Amino acid sequence: MITQQDIRTHTIAVLVDNESGVLARVIGLFSGRGYNIESLTVAEVDPVEKLSRITLVTSGTPMVIEQIKAQLGRLVPVRKVADLTVEGPSVTRELALLKVVGTGEKRVESLRIADIFRANVVDSTNESFVFEIVGKPEKLDAFIKLMEPLGLAETSRTGVAAIARGKESLL
Amino acid sequence: MSEQLSGAEIVLKALVDQGVEVVFGYPGGAVLPIYDALFRQNRIRHVLCRHEQGAVHMAEGYARSTGKVGCVLVTSGPGATNAVTGLTDALMDSVPIVCLTGQVPTFLIGNDAFQEADTTGITRQCTKHNYLVKEPDRLARTIHEAFVVASTGRPGPVVVDLPKDVLMGKAPYIPASRVKHRSYKPQMKADIALIEQAVELMGKAQRPIFYIGGGVVNSGPSACKLLASFVRSTGFPITSTLMGLGAYPASDQQFLGMLGMHGTYEANLAMHACDVMICIGARFDDRVTGRLDAFAPNAKKIHVDIDPSSINKNVVVDVAIVGDVAHVVEDMIRVWKAKQIRPTQKALATWWGQIDAWKARNCLAYKTNDTTIKPQQAIERLYALTKDRDTYITTEVGQHQMWAAQFYKFEEPNRWMTSGGLGTMGYGLPAALGVQVAHPESLVVDISGEASFQMNMQEMGTASQYRLPVKVFILNNQYMGMVRQWQELLHGSRYSESYSDALPDFVKLAESFGWLGLEVESPADLDDAIKTMIESDKPVLMNVHVDPSENCYPMIPSGAAHNDMLMGPEDTAGAGVSDHGMVLV
Ligand SMILES: Cc1cc2nc3c(=O)[nH]c(=O)nc-3n(C[C@H](O)[C@H](O)[C@H](O)COP(=O)(O)OP(=O)(O)OC[C@H]3O[C@@H](n4cnc5c(N)ncnc54)[C@H](O)[C@@H]3O)c2cc1C
Ligand SMILES: Cc1ncc(C[n+]2csc(CCOP(=O)(O)OP(=O)(O)O)c2C)c(N)n1
Ligand SMILES: [Mg+2]
């Protein structure tokens, strides 16, 4: 039975017909009903069937999370809603690009840390690097925090992509 | 290659294909091609409203009284924005509507063109679904899909936005039979294991109660019959929400009347004390539950609903059954019989003894006198004089609406049209017109308030034009009575802006539209006036002067529990509403 307990973070995958306005419907649902969106990514994943996949990270009590899933399922273009947080183990990844500006010791230090985190340098000038890092959101958080004192000037994150482990697929 | 039709012709052909007989609408530049096509055909009738909000409410009245989809046609920009209140109303009350809106041509969309509005953007949150049709090729398919979405699952309004170049373009027609939706598929039949669980709970219940709602009406007259026969075979008491009235015959002994904020004492106390609650097609609205943490505290709750998002939204239930009422109840009856369930008669008898004691409180009693008509009395007399006729009732919003719900007894579904979820003043007159269009020979009465009536009174012209002999029965208390009642309860009787000043002369107003106007002030004249109203073959506006100070009881003040009811003015005087209750609506 569901009770009003603590607030938990859930990653939800939504397969939708890729038609105009579908993203607005999902976002409007969240703003209209006062749910949180911590991360949202969307892209077409099946050009033949014209399906897009939306990955949402949201938080709420178990009752609110149930509502969110039911409300998403109610949208006419939604094919499938899966709660990756409860339906078994899943893999979660995010990509970030970081621009770090500086010279001298700080510049060297940023490169050393990037190496530890297996971030790639995708652009460099005499005074700057752009690092590319892929991993769980927490890993990105840690990397960004370490880069802050080293001249972090700009960050761009993709938001979360997630998929269940194992052989079962969403559709 | 198959025959090419114009976009506007495709629209009409699709409507005919969908069984549409009448469209409620208003013309304008963007929909002129459709109006031209309407002019050149005779399959579909058009009823011209006076304001697009009226058109949507007419379609709602038509839909609720027939079970069919109501169809609306409005122009772009202001036509579409005027329809928004009606669409929201239909969304809240699960009424199947297809609303066609004109739009500027595709190549001007986004340019702030004349009478452009982002209709799909504006209506996204107040429709079940909406579409913008960008190619003539997609017209027929989209309209067919719109009807399926509007009428199946949990019904609701669907907007189809039609740019003018699409209406003027050409394409072949696609019949409804060739259109299938890719993802939309509401669940009708429920998991049988859950139904068995529910039936077993019911079999063991000591203090059971059925709590039914609008979903039973949505499921159709045969669902109502099935449910009624099931309820009778259990011997359990049954209560209904405002929206479910008529789904179960009000005169039946097992019926406890409406529950909720203005529900009966016996219904609310039975809900509070029950040990098994069987909720069917109702959505645990705040007007029904009152204080959530004190709602039926000792009950196991079974909830049957076609929309998974209605379940566990406000109230956590023990058995959640997703499916259509008719399908689920059919299975319940089968399982009930197969398992040979016999409720414990002794416990049931004790339970009914308790309920009868609550009933004896006679919570709807009111005092009459020789000089002023009591609003409750007016409705009781209206009921007595119309119950043996083929009658449909609509209402506006306010005290008169609640008294109508308490005192008019509905024996069948689809006879009662009211705005419950949105509570839209101005709903009743246009809704009555829609009902009358669907049932030209029937008696259609809008139980109205003097303030609500003024919100859509322009539709009097529609009644005159189409000779729709609706009766508007105004309980004129000279106040926005429901507002006044809350001001008495919550704001020290400071009647800020709730007095109905500068009222028109209703009789003259009626006559100016070719209606019959009636005025009644004395209880002694009430019956004759009602009879004159009923007998008239014209639309009638009847101004019934009622006691301006009467309030609607029982009442569960906002934020209070079912067993914390105000029974009359004596209670209100001493009522303390909690801080939490003060912020509730
Ligand atoms: C001034 C005012 C006072 C009010 N006071 C009260 C009051 O005292 N008591 C009261 O009851 N109401 C009152 N209301 C109305 C209230 O606001 C709600 O509109 C009403 O309680 C909701 O009724 P319902 O639960 O039957 O739901 P509805 O809004 O009718 O919803 C129907 C439910 O059934 C489901 N459903 C639809 N079709 C099917 C199907 N085929 N099979 C299964 N399920 C289906 C839907 O998904 C939905 O959950 C008042 C309104 C106003 C304006
Ligand atoms: C469009 C709209 N505006 C405001 C309200 C708030 N409201 C609810 S009842 C009411 C008063 C209704 O007065 P009247 O029609 O005279 O009915 P009475 O309560 O007096 O019977 C008001 C203003 C509403 N429900 N709808
Ligand atoms: Mg009034």
Side-chain angles (χ1 to χ4, degrees), chain B residues 154 213-215 218-219 241-243 259-262 281-283 285 287-288 305-307 310 323-325 401-402 420-421:
Chain B
R154 179 179 186 166
N218 284 137
S219 189
T241 67
L242 183 76
M243 301 312 289
L259 82 163
M261 183 172 272
H262 292 290
R283 57 185 174 84
D285 183 79
R287 223 103 300 226
V288 162
D305 203 294
I306 204 163
D307 178 354
S310 283
D324 165 57
V325 171
Q401 176 189 28
M402 293 298 111

PDB file of all heavy atoms in Angstrom, chain B residues 154 213-215 218-219 241-243 259-262 281-283 285 287-288 305-307 310 323-325 401-402 420-421, ligand 1:
ATOM      1  N   ARG B 154     -12.310   7.482 -20.623  1.00  0.00           N
ATOM      2  CA  ARG B 154     -12.951   8.568 -19.886  1.00  0.00           C
ATOM      3  C   ARG B 154     -13.258   9.660 -20.893  1.00  0.00           C
ATOM      4  O   ARG B 154     -12.350  10.249 -21.479  1.00  0.00           O
ATOM      5  CB  ARG B 154     -12.006   9.099 -18.812  1.00  0.00           C
ATOM      6  CG  ARG B 154     -12.600  10.251 -18.029  1.00  0.00           C
ATOM      7  CD  ARG B 154     -11.630  10.728 -16.973  1.00  0.00           C
ATOM      8  NE  ARG B 154     -12.218  11.734 -16.128  1.00  0.00           N
ATOM      9  CZ  ARG B 154     -11.685  12.125 -14.967  1.00  0.00           C
ATOM     10  NH1 ARG B 154     -10.566  11.587 -14.560  1.00  0.00           N
ATOM     11  NH2 ARG B 154     -12.267  13.043 -14.248  1.00  0.00           N
ATOM     12  N   GLY B 213     -20.678   7.519  -8.922  1.00  0.00           N
ATOM     13  CA  GLY B 213     -20.516   8.849  -9.488  1.00  0.00           C
ATOM     14  C   GLY B 213     -20.786   8.911 -10.975  1.00  0.00           C
ATOM     15  O   GLY B 213     -21.348   7.982 -11.573  1.00  0.00           O
ATOM     16  N   GLY B 214     -20.349  10.004 -11.558  1.00  0.00           N
ATOM     17  CA  GLY B 214     -20.610  10.299 -12.964  1.00  0.00           C
ATOM     18  C   GLY B 214     -20.131   9.212 -13.922  1.00  0.00           C
ATOM     19  O   GLY B 214     -20.666   9.075 -15.025  1.00  0.00           O
ATOM     20  N   GLY B 215     -19.123   8.451 -13.511  1.00  0.00           N
ATOM     21  CA  GLY B 215     -18.608   7.394 -14.382  1.00  0.00           C
ATOM     22  C   GLY B 215     -19.649   6.343 -14.696  1.00  0.00           C
ATOM     23  O   GLY B 215     -19.608   5.699 -15.752  1.00  0.00           O
ATOM     24  N   ASN B 218     -21.604   7.846 -17.431  1.00  0.00           N
ATOM     25  CA  ASN B 218     -20.778   7.772 -18.631  1.00  0.00           C
ATOM     26  C   ASN B 218     -20.793   6.382 -19.255  1.00  0.00           C
ATOM     27  O   ASN B 218     -20.710   6.226 -20.466  1.00  0.00           O
ATOM     28  CB  ASN B 218     -19.310   8.116 -18.318  1.00  0.00           C
ATOM     29  CG  ASN B 218     -19.084   9.605 -18.131  1.00  0.00           C
ATOM     30  OD1 ASN B 218     -18.377  10.028 -17.227  1.00  0.00           O
ATOM     31  ND2 ASN B 218     -19.699  10.403 -18.979  1.00  0.00           N
ATOM     32  N   SER B 219     -20.877   5.374 -18.422  1.00  0.00           N
ATOM     33  CA  SER B 219     -20.817   4.007 -18.933  1.00  0.00           C
ATOM     34  C   SER B 219     -22.107   3.623 -19.660  1.00  0.00           C
ATOM     35  O   SER B 219     -22.122   2.650 -20.411  1.00  0.00           O
ATOM     36  CB  SER B 219     -20.523   3.049 -17.778  1.00  0.00           C
ATOM     37  OG  SER B 219     -20.256   1.769 -18.257  1.00  0.00           O
ATOM     38  N   THR B 241     -22.621  10.842  -5.923  1.00  0.00           N
ATOM     39  CA  THR B 241     -22.129  12.214  -6.047  1.00  0.00           C
ATOM     40  C   THR B 241     -23.146  13.047  -6.818  1.00  0.00           C
ATOM     41  O   THR B 241     -24.104  12.512  -7.392  1.00  0.00           O
ATOM     42  CB  THR B 241     -20.819  12.266  -6.842  1.00  0.00           C
ATOM     43  OG1 THR B 241     -21.112  11.893  -8.198  1.00  0.00           O
ATOM     44  CG2 THR B 241     -19.762  11.341  -6.268  1.00  0.00           C
ATOM     45  N   LEU B 242     -22.873  14.333  -6.864  1.00  0.00           N
ATOM     46  CA  LEU B 242     -23.693  15.241  -7.667  1.00  0.00           C
ATOM     47  C   LEU B 242     -23.781  14.756  -9.123  1.00  0.00           C
ATOM     48  O   LEU B 242     -24.843  14.794  -9.742  1.00  0.00           O
ATOM     49  CB  LEU B 242     -23.062  16.639  -7.624  1.00  0.00           C
ATOM     50  CG  LEU B 242     -23.794  17.747  -8.347  1.00  0.00           C
ATOM     51  CD1 LEU B 242     -25.005  18.187  -7.542  1.00  0.00           C
ATOM     52  CD2 LEU B 242     -22.891  18.945  -8.603  1.00  0.00           C
ATOM     53  N   MET B 243     -22.645  14.284  -9.649  1.00  0.00           N
ATOM     54  CA  MET B 243     -22.599  13.910 -11.062  1.00  0.00           C
ATOM     55  C   MET B 243     -23.257  12.556 -11.338  1.00  0.00           C
ATOM     56  O   MET B 243     -23.576  12.251 -12.470  1.00  0.00           O
ATOM     57  CB  MET B 243     -21.143  13.865 -11.561  1.00  0.00           C
ATOM     58  CG  MET B 243     -20.386  15.166 -11.425  1.00  0.00           C
ATOM     59  SD  MET B 243     -21.303  16.585 -12.029  1.00  0.00           S
ATOM     60  CE  MET B 243     -21.252  16.281 -13.781  1.00  0.00           C
ATOM     61  N   LEU B 259     -24.080  12.502  -1.334  1.00  0.00           N
ATOM     62  CA  LEU B 259     -23.126  12.679  -0.242  1.00  0.00           C
ATOM     63  C   LEU B 259     -22.323  13.952  -0.480  1.00  0.00           C
ATOM     64  O   LEU B 259     -22.493  14.619  -1.491  1.00  0.00           O
ATOM     65  CB  LEU B 259     -22.189  11.472  -0.140  1.00  0.00           C
ATOM     66  CG  LEU B 259     -20.983  11.404  -1.081  1.00  0.00           C
ATOM     67  CD1 LEU B 259     -19.982  10.393  -0.577  1.00  0.00           C
ATOM     68  CD2 LEU B 259     -21.373  11.103  -2.503  1.00  0.00           C
ATOM     69  N   GLY B 260     -21.453  14.267   0.460  1.00  0.00           N
ATOM     70  CA  GLY B 260     -20.525  15.375   0.255  1.00  0.00           C
ATOM     71  C   GLY B 260     -20.936  16.643   0.970  1.00  0.00           C
ATOM     72  O   GLY B 260     -21.772  16.629   1.874  1.00  0.00           O
ATOM     73  N   MET B 261     -20.330  17.731   0.538  1.00  0.00           N
ATOM     74  CA  MET B 261     -20.467  19.014   1.221  1.00  0.00           C
ATOM     75  C   MET B 261     -21.920  19.371   1.537  1.00  0.00           C
ATOM     76  O   MET B 261     -22.218  19.842   2.629  1.00  0.00           O
ATOM     77  CB  MET B 261     -19.827  20.114   0.378  1.00  0.00           C
ATOM     78  CG  MET B 261     -19.857  21.472   1.038  1.00  0.00           C
ATOM     79  SD  MET B 261     -18.893  22.681   0.129  1.00  0.00           S
ATOM     80  CE  MET B 261     -17.270  22.448   0.833  1.00  0.00           C
ATOM     81  N   HIS B 262     -22.816  19.180   0.559  1.00  0.00           N
ATOM     82  CA  HIS B 262     -24.232  19.438   0.796  1.00  0.00           C
ATOM     83  C   HIS B 262     -25.057  18.160   0.703  1.00  0.00           C
ATOM     84  O   HIS B 262     -26.230  18.185   0.345  1.00  0.00           O
ATOM     85  CB  HIS B 262     -24.748  20.513  -0.159  1.00  0.00           C
ATOM     86  CG  HIS B 262     -24.161  21.863   0.124  1.00  0.00           C
ATOM     87  ND1 HIS B 262     -24.487  22.581   1.246  1.00  0.00           N
ATOM     88  CD2 HIS B 262     -23.235  22.595  -0.533  1.00  0.00           C
ATOM     89  CE1 HIS B 262     -23.787  23.721   1.252  1.00  0.00           C
ATOM     90  NE2 HIS B 262     -23.019  23.749   0.193  1.00  0.00           N
ATOM     91  N   GLY B 281     -16.958   4.604 -10.396  1.00  0.00           N
ATOM     92  CA  GLY B 281     -17.059   5.741 -11.318  1.00  0.00           C
ATOM     93  C   GLY B 281     -17.168   7.085 -10.630  1.00  0.00           C
ATOM     94  O   GLY B 281     -17.863   7.975 -11.110  1.00  0.00           O
ATOM     95  N   ALA B 282     -16.496   7.235  -9.514  1.00  0.00           N
ATOM     96  CA  ALA B 282     -16.432   8.531  -8.837  1.00  0.00           C
ATOM     97  C   ALA B 282     -14.976   8.803  -8.504  1.00  0.00           C
ATOM     98  O   ALA B 282     -14.167   7.879  -8.453  1.00  0.00           O
ATOM     99  CB  ALA B 282     -17.286   8.527  -7.575  1.00  0.00           C
ATOM    100  N   ARG B 283     -14.649  10.067  -8.267  1.00  0.00           N
ATOM    101  CA  ARG B 283     -13.227  10.389  -8.221  1.00  0.00           C
ATOM    102  C   ARG B 283     -12.745  11.022  -6.914  1.00  0.00           C
ATOM    103  O   ARG B 283     -11.760  11.753  -6.901  1.00  0.00           O
ATOM    104  CB  ARG B 283     -12.846  11.246  -9.418  1.00  0.00           C
ATOM    105  CG  ARG B 283     -13.634  12.542  -9.552  1.00  0.00           C
ATOM    106  CD  ARG B 283     -13.262  13.275 -10.834  1.00  0.00           C
ATOM    107  NE  ARG B 283     -14.099  14.422 -11.054  1.00  0.00           N
ATOM    108  CZ  ARG B 283     -13.891  15.632 -10.518  1.00  0.00           C
ATOM    109  NH1 ARG B 283     -12.859  15.843  -9.747  1.00  0.00           N
ATOM    110  NH2 ARG B 283     -14.710  16.626 -10.777  1.00  0.00           N
ATOM    111  N   ASP B 285     -13.582  13.470  -5.090  1.00  0.00           N
ATOM    112  CA  ASP B 285     -13.420  14.909  -5.192  1.00  0.00           C
ATOM    113  C   ASP B 285     -13.407  15.537  -3.797  1.00  0.00           C
ATOM    114  O   ASP B 285     -14.003  15.008  -2.858  1.00  0.00           O
ATOM    115  CB  ASP B 285     -14.604  15.453  -5.999  1.00  0.00           C
ATOM    116  CG  ASP B 285     -14.499  16.940  -6.242  1.00  0.00           C
ATOM    117  OD1 ASP B 285     -13.736  17.313  -7.144  1.00  0.00           O
ATOM    118  OD2 ASP B 285     -15.167  17.707  -5.521  1.00  0.00           O
ATOM    119  N   ARG B 287     -14.997  17.990  -2.717  1.00  0.00           N
ATOM    120  CA  ARG B 287     -16.349  18.332  -2.270  1.00  0.00           C
ATOM    121  C   ARG B 287     -17.031  17.107  -1.640  1.00  0.00           C
ATOM    122  O   ARG B 287     -18.043  17.226  -0.967  1.00  0.00           O
ATOM    123  CB  ARG B 287     -17.153  18.789  -3.494  1.00  0.00           C
ATOM    124  CG  ARG B 287     -18.004  19.999  -3.289  1.00  0.00           C
ATOM    125  CD  ARG B 287     -17.437  21.259  -3.873  1.00  0.00           C
ATOM    126  NE  ARG B 287     -16.165  21.604  -3.309  1.00  0.00           N
ATOM    127  CZ  ARG B 287     -15.841  22.827  -2.894  1.00  0.00           C
ATOM    128  NH1 ARG B 287     -16.731  23.775  -2.907  1.00  0.00           N
ATOM    129  NH2 ARG B 287     -14.634  23.092  -2.450  1.00  0.00           N
ATOM    130  N   VAL B 288     -16.490  15.949  -1.922  1.00  0.00           N
ATOM    131  CA  VAL B 288     -17.087  14.703  -1.440  1.00  0.00           C
ATOM    132  C   VAL B 288     -16.362  14.184  -0.198  1.00  0.00           C
ATOM    133  O   VAL B 288     -16.988  13.747   0.759  1.00  0.00           O
ATOM    134  CB  VAL B 288     -17.063  13.644  -2.560  1.00  0.00           C
ATOM    135  CG1 VAL B 288     -17.260  12.252  -2.012  1.00  0.00           C
ATOM    136  CG2 VAL B 288     -18.126  13.975  -3.596  1.00  0.00           C
ATOM    137  N   ASP B 305     -12.600   2.470 -11.699  1.00  0.00           N
ATOM    138  CA  ASP B 305     -12.530   3.667 -12.538  1.00  0.00           C
ATOM    139  C   ASP B 305     -11.807   3.327 -13.832  1.00  0.00           C
ATOM    140  O   ASP B 305     -10.862   2.547 -13.845  1.00  0.00           O
ATOM    141  CB  ASP B 305     -11.794   4.795 -11.815  1.00  0.00           C
ATOM    142  CG  ASP B 305     -12.170   6.166 -12.349  1.00  0.00           C
ATOM    143  OD1 ASP B 305     -11.855   6.458 -13.528  1.00  0.00           O
ATOM    144  OD2 ASP B 305     -12.789   6.945 -11.603  1.00  0.00           O
ATOM    145  N   ILE B 306     -12.254   3.946 -14.910  1.00  0.00           N
ATOM    146  CA  ILE B 306     -11.647   3.666 -16.206  1.00  0.00           C
ATOM    147  C   ILE B 306     -10.330   4.408 -16.375  1.00  0.00           C
ATOM    148  O   ILE B 306      -9.522   4.072 -17.241  1.00  0.00           O
ATOM    149  CB  ILE B 306     -12.648   4.017 -17.336  1.00  0.00           C
ATOM    150  CG1 ILE B 306     -12.320   3.221 -18.594  1.00  0.00           C
ATOM    151  CG2 ILE B 306     -12.663   5.511 -17.614  1.00  0.00           C
ATOM    152  CD1 ILE B 306     -13.453   3.185 -19.590  1.00  0.00           C
ATOM    153  N   ASP B 307     -10.126   5.414 -15.529  1.00  0.00           N
ATOM    154  CA  ASP B 307      -8.937   6.250 -15.669  1.00  0.00           C
ATOM    155  C   ASP B 307      -7.988   5.979 -14.503  1.00  0.00           C
ATOM    156  O   ASP B 307      -8.271   6.344 -13.371  1.00  0.00           O
ATOM    157  CB  ASP B 307      -9.384   7.724 -15.666  1.00  0.00           C
ATOM    158  CG  ASP B 307      -8.213   8.692 -15.770  1.00  0.00           C
ATOM    159  OD1 ASP B 307      -7.044   8.228 -15.724  1.00  0.00           O
ATOM    160  OD2 ASP B 307      -8.460   9.902 -15.885  1.00  0.00           O
ATOM    161  N   SER B 310      -7.352   8.517 -11.786  1.00  0.00           N
ATOM    162  CA  SER B 310      -8.337   8.853 -10.748  1.00  0.00           C
ATOM    163  C   SER B 310      -8.100   8.028  -9.491  1.00  0.00           C
ATOM    164  O   SER B 310      -8.602   8.363  -8.423  1.00  0.00           O
ATOM    165  CB  SER B 310      -9.764   8.567 -11.248  1.00  0.00           C
ATOM    166  OG  SER B 310     -10.188   9.570 -12.129  1.00  0.00           O
ATOM    167  N   GLY B 323     -11.192  -0.203 -15.177  1.00  0.00           N
ATOM    168  CA  GLY B 323     -12.067  -0.756 -16.211  1.00  0.00           C
ATOM    169  C   GLY B 323     -13.344   0.054 -16.312  1.00  0.00           C
ATOM    170  O   GLY B 323     -13.595   0.965 -15.513  1.00  0.00           O
ATOM    171  N   ASP B 324     -14.153  -0.306 -17.318  1.00  0.00           N
ATOM    172  CA  ASP B 324     -15.422   0.367 -17.549  1.00  0.00           C
ATOM    173  C   ASP B 324     -16.485  -0.204 -16.599  1.00  0.00           C
ATOM    174  O   ASP B 324     -16.532  -1.421 -16.375  1.00  0.00           O
ATOM    175  CB  ASP B 324     -15.821   0.145 -19.008  1.00  0.00           C
ATOM    176  CG  ASP B 324     -17.270   0.483 -19.261  1.00  0.00           C
ATOM    177  OD1 ASP B 324     -17.652   1.625 -18.981  1.00  0.00           O
ATOM    178  OD2 ASP B 324     -18.015  -0.398 -19.743  1.00  0.00           O
ATOM    179  N   VAL B 325     -17.341   0.665 -16.086  1.00  0.00           N
ATOM    180  CA  VAL B 325     -18.331   0.240 -15.093  1.00  0.00           C
ATOM    181  C   VAL B 325     -19.145  -0.962 -15.584  1.00  0.00           C
ATOM    182  O   VAL B 325     -19.281  -1.958 -14.874  1.00  0.00           O
ATOM    183  CB  VAL B 325     -19.276   1.404 -14.725  1.00  0.00           C
ATOM    184  CG1 VAL B 325     -20.435   0.911 -13.868  1.00  0.00           C
ATOM    185  CG2 VAL B 325     -18.521   2.507 -14.005  1.00  0.00           C
ATOM    186  N   GLN B 401     -28.584  25.171  -7.195  1.00  0.00           N
ATOM    187  CA  GLN B 401     -28.063  23.922  -7.771  1.00  0.00           C
ATOM    188  C   GLN B 401     -28.061  22.812  -6.712  1.00  0.00           C
ATOM    189  O   GLN B 401     -28.469  21.679  -6.973  1.00  0.00           O
ATOM    190  CB  GLN B 401     -26.635  24.184  -8.275  1.00  0.00           C
ATOM    191  CG  GLN B 401     -25.886  22.986  -8.813  1.00  0.00           C
ATOM    192  CD  GLN B 401     -24.407  23.305  -9.068  1.00  0.00           C
ATOM    193  OE1 GLN B 401     -23.825  24.168  -8.410  1.00  0.00           O
ATOM    194  NE2 GLN B 401     -23.806  22.616 -10.023  1.00  0.00           N
ATOM    195  N   MET B 402     -27.620  23.183  -5.522  1.00  0.00           N
ATOM    196  CA  MET B 402     -27.570  22.197  -4.439  1.00  0.00           C
ATOM    197  C   MET B 402     -28.981  21.793  -4.005  1.00  0.00           C
ATOM    198  O   MET B 402     -29.257  20.627  -3.754  1.00  0.00           O
ATOM    199  CB  MET B 402     -26.784  22.758  -3.255  1.00  0.00           C
ATOM    200  CG  MET B 402     -25.314  22.948  -3.551  1.00  0.00           C
ATOM    201  SD  MET B 402     -24.502  21.367  -3.939  1.00  0.00           S
ATOM    202  CE  MET B 402     -24.140  21.570  -5.677  1.00  0.00           C
ATOM    203  N   GLY B 420     -20.452  20.348 -12.416  1.00  0.00           N
ATOM    204  CA  GLY B 420     -19.982  19.933 -11.105  1.00  0.00           C
ATOM    205  C   GLY B 420     -18.532  20.284 -10.848  1.00  0.00           C
ATOM    206  O   GLY B 420     -18.192  20.920  -9.869  1.00  0.00           O
ATOM    207  N   GLY B 421     -17.659  19.884 -11.728  1.00  0.00           N
ATOM    208  CA  GLY B 421     -16.225  20.014 -11.488  1.00  0.00           C
ATOM    209  C   GLY B 421     -15.744  21.444 -11.594  1.00  0.00           C
ATOM    210  O   GLY B 421     -14.982  21.926 -10.761  1.00  0.00           O
TER     211      GLY B 421
HETATM  212  C1  LIG C   1     -21.405  24.639  -5.672  1.00  0.00           C
HETATM  213  C2  LIG C   1     -21.030  23.206  -5.805  1.00  0.00           C
HETATM  214  C3  LIG C   1     -21.189  22.339  -4.743  1.00  0.00           C
HETATM  215  C4  LIG C   1     -20.922  20.985  -4.866  1.00  0.00           C
HETATM  216  N1  LIG C   1     -21.194  20.140  -3.827  1.00  0.00           N
HETATM  217  C5  LIG C   1     -21.114  18.806  -4.013  1.00  0.00           C
HETATM  218  C6  LIG C   1     -21.558  17.884  -3.013  1.00  0.00           C
HETATM  219  O1  LIG C   1     -22.043  18.261  -1.967  1.00  0.00           O
HETATM  220  N2  LIG C   1     -21.477  16.565  -3.285  1.00  0.00           N
HETATM  221  C7  LIG C   1     -20.974  16.094  -4.469  1.00  0.00           C
HETATM  222  O2  LIG C   1     -20.962  14.887  -4.680  1.00  0.00           O
HETATM  223  N3  LIG C   1     -20.530  16.935  -5.414  1.00  0.00           N
HETATM  224  C8  LIG C   1     -20.599  18.272  -5.223  1.00  0.00           C
HETATM  225  N4  LIG C   1     -20.173  19.111  -6.224  1.00  0.00           N
HETATM  226  C9  LIG C   1     -19.596  18.542  -7.453  1.00  0.00           C
HETATM  227  C10 LIG C   1     -18.110  18.247  -7.287  1.00  0.00           C
HETATM  228  O3  LIG C   1     -17.386  19.435  -7.463  1.00  0.00           O
HETATM  229  C11 LIG C   1     -17.644  17.205  -8.330  1.00  0.00           C
HETATM  230  O4  LIG C   1     -17.956  17.634  -9.618  1.00  0.00           O
HETATM  231  C12 LIG C   1     -18.291  15.864  -8.154  1.00  0.00           C
HETATM  232  O5  LIG C   1     -18.321  15.487  -6.796  1.00  0.00           O
HETATM  233  C13 LIG C   1     -17.543  14.809  -8.941  1.00  0.00           C
HETATM  234  O6  LIG C   1     -18.373  13.730  -9.170  1.00  0.00           O
HETATM  235  P1  LIG C   1     -17.798  12.276  -9.453  1.00  0.00           P
HETATM  236  O7  LIG C   1     -16.865  11.880  -8.370  1.00  0.00           O
HETATM  237  O8  LIG C   1     -18.981  11.436  -9.700  1.00  0.00           O
HETATM  238  O9  LIG C   1     -16.850  12.436 -10.699  1.00  0.00           O
HETATM  239  P2  LIG C   1     -17.025  12.820 -12.229  1.00  0.00           P
HETATM  240  O10 LIG C   1     -16.434  14.165 -12.401  1.00  0.00           O
HETATM  241  O11 LIG C   1     -18.374  12.563 -12.766  1.00  0.00           O
HETATM  242  O12 LIG C   1     -15.959  11.807 -12.810  1.00  0.00           O
HETATM  243  C14 LIG C   1     -16.310  10.518 -13.162  1.00  0.00           C
HETATM  244  C15 LIG C   1     -15.261   9.511 -12.754  1.00  0.00           C
HETATM  245  O13 LIG C   1     -15.642   8.272 -13.341  1.00  0.00           O
HETATM  246  C16 LIG C   1     -14.656   7.824 -14.217  1.00  0.00           C
HETATM  247  N5  LIG C   1     -15.305   7.245 -15.395  1.00  0.00           N
HETATM  248  C17 LIG C   1     -15.782   7.875 -16.489  1.00  0.00           C
HETATM  249  N6  LIG C   1     -16.324   7.005 -17.347  1.00  0.00           N
HETATM  250  C18 LIG C   1     -16.193   5.790 -16.781  1.00  0.00           C
HETATM  251  C19 LIG C   1     -16.562   4.474 -17.185  1.00  0.00           C
HETATM  252  N7  LIG C   1     -17.179   4.236 -18.349  1.00  0.00           N
HETATM  253  N8  LIG C   1     -16.266   3.443 -16.362  1.00  0.00           N
HETATM  254  C20 LIG C   1     -15.613   3.665 -15.171  1.00  0.00           C
HETATM  255  N9  LIG C   1     -15.263   4.888 -14.749  1.00  0.00           N
HETATM  256  C21 LIG C   1     -15.545   5.934 -15.540  1.00  0.00           C
HETATM  257  C22 LIG C   1     -13.793   9.007 -14.551  1.00  0.00           C
HETATM  258  O14 LIG C   1     -12.494   8.580 -14.890  1.00  0.00           O
HETATM  259  C23 LIG C   1     -13.870   9.830 -13.275  1.00  0.00           C
HETATM  260  O15 LIG C   1     -12.895   9.415 -12.351  1.00  0.00           O
HETATM  261  C24 LIG C   1     -20.413  20.481  -6.088  1.00  0.00           C
HETATM  262  C25 LIG C   1     -20.215  21.355  -7.151  1.00  0.00           C
HETATM  263  C26 LIG C   1     -20.529  22.697  -7.032  1.00  0.00           C
HETATM  264  C27 LIG C   1     -20.341  23.592  -8.209  1.00  0.00           C
END
